[in-house]
């Protein structure tokens, strides 16, 4: 079938410093668009795109921040929910993470790739979700995660790359890639 369905899926939300998010724009300007909380933080959505029917496959683009942080770091990084919201959104669309054939990640910062990991549980090691999916990431983004710039070093999840490599389902790409 040539039919393709698209869903914009909500992932976990995050609150980050409004000044950092708007850069050089003065607060008096950006707070007209969005009101900060008492900590000067603004809410940010982590949305993902699910495509069903792309060459007969279900492809998820991005996974958002997820719920992999332990409570202290969840608070530090302003992650609002303590459960994996993307899994709820997938269920609402009629799917589970096991139904996904490919997950495409633009880059490996935790706010884009954290949703690849199961929700944090006391005493449990990080583990990957999407057991039937190929994980697709650009080679340049992969190398950046291996050799991060000092400014974004804290934005990567140290456990993620080894887990992706050990899965046997990682595809690092350069240029175009066909789904067949």
């Amino acid at each position: 079938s040539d039919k393709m369905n698209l869903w914009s899926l909500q992932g976990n939300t995050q609150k980050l410093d409004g000044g950092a998010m708007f850069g050089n724009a003065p607060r008096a300007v950006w707070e007209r668009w969005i009101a900060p909380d008492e900590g000067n933080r603004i809410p940010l959505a982590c949305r993902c795109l699910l495509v069903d029917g792309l060459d007969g496959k279900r492809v998820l683009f991005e996974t958002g921040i997820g719920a992999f942080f332990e409570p202290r770091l969840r608070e530090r990084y302003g992650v609002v929910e303590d459960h994996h919201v993307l899994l709820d959104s997938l269920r609402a669309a009629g799917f589970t993470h096991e139904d996904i054939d490919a997950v495409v990640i633009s880059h490996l910062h935790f706010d884009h790739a954290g949703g690849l990991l199961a929700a944090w549980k006391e005493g449990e090691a990080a583990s990957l979700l999407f057991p039937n999916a190929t994980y697709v990431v650009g080679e340049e983004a992969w190398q950046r995660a291996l050799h991060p710039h000092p400014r974004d070093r804290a934005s990567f999840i140290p456990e993620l790359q080894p887990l992706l490599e050990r899965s046997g389902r990682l595809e690092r790409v350069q240029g175009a890639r066909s789904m067949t």
Side-chain angles (χ1 to χ4, degrees):
S1 165
D2 292 338
K3 185 177 177 186
M4 189 181 312
N5 292 305
L6 306 172
W7 288 266
S8 174
L9 300 178
Q10 180 71 42
N12 288 69
T13 53
Q14 186 178 19
K15 290 183 177 184
L16 290 177
D17 183 83
M21 294 295 97
F22 285 100
N24 291 333
R27 179 178 170 150
V29 172
W30 62 257
E31 73 180 354
R32 285 186 248 159
W33 294 307
I34 190 160
D37 66 11
E38 64 285 343
N40 202 46
R41 300 182 311 176
I42 59 171
L44 300 169
C46 290
R47 292 202 167 272
C48 311
L49 177 67
L50 175 62
V51 181
D52 183 25
L54 188 62
D55 289 332
K57 306 279 188 197
R58 290 188 189 112
V59 181
L60 181 65
F61 292 87
E62 307 288 59
T63 62
I65 198 165
F68 75 95
F69 279 129
E70 54 96 354
R72 187 178 51 82
L73 290 175
R74 189 173 66 236
E75 173 63 29
R76 177 188 298 169
Y77 289 106
V79 180
V80 176
E81 307 88 359
D82 63 356
H83 64 284
H84 206 308
V85 174
L86 176 58
L87 298 182
D88 296 341
S89 297
L90 279 167
R91 260 191 303 282
F95 303 101
T96 69
H97 69 105
E98 291 96 342
D99 297 324
I100 304 303
D101 296 298
V103 181
V104 179
I105 302 293
S106 63
H107 61 289
L108 294 167
H109 282 173
F110 61 67
D111 58 330
H112 291 254
L116 288 170
L117 297 171
W120 178 85
K121 288 190 179 127
E122 180 77 52
E124 290 188 20
S127 63
L128 287 172
L129 296 172
F130 309 99
N132 302 310
T134 299
Y135 305 108
V136 181
V137 66
E139 182 63 31
E140 192 172 315
W142 183 262
Q143 292 302 322
R144 177 67 180 253
L146 283 178
H147 311 286
H149 188 280
R151 278 196 302 265
D152 70 349
R153 183 178 314 279
S155 296
F156 294 101
I157 306 164
E159 304 90 343
L160 184 57
Q161 281 181 280
L163 285 170
L164 290 170
E165 283 185 313
R166 284 196 305 270
S167 76
R169 294 177 283 115
L170 173 66
E171 190 164 327
R172 293 159 37 188
V173 297
Q174 286 185 295
R177 178 197 185 272
S178 170
M179 285 300 298
T180 56

